[in-house]
């Protein structure tokens, strides 16, 4: 099951203490930057949960 991004908690890459850490650590390319937002590419998500464990804003979860 792909992850879900809470856009209110996320606060866009410019406000992220990790400066888009989730995008940087996603080895599958399931999280990408689009106009300053973190966007999920669900078909690339392999459920590794690295993004969930490393999001400084706790904005990523499983639905």
């Amino acid at each position: 099951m792909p992850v879900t991004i809470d856009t209110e908690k996320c606060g866009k890459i410019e406000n992220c203490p990790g400066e888009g850490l989730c995008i940087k650590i996603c080895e599958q390319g399931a999280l990408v930057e689009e106009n300053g937002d973190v966007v999920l590419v669900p078909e690339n998500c392999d459920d590794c949960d690295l993004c969930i464990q490393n999001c400084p804003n706790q904005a990523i979860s499983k639905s």
Side-chain angles (χ1 to χ4, degrees), residues 17-45:
E19 299 175 333
L21 178 63
C22 59
I23 294 171
K24 296 173 188 172
I25 64 171
C26 182
E27 296 176 350
Q28 305 305 316
L31 297 170
V32 296
E33 183 270 335
E34 211 171 86
N35 299 320
D37 289 321
V38 177
V39 177
L40 175 68
V41 181
E43 59 270 16
N44 291 351
C45 183

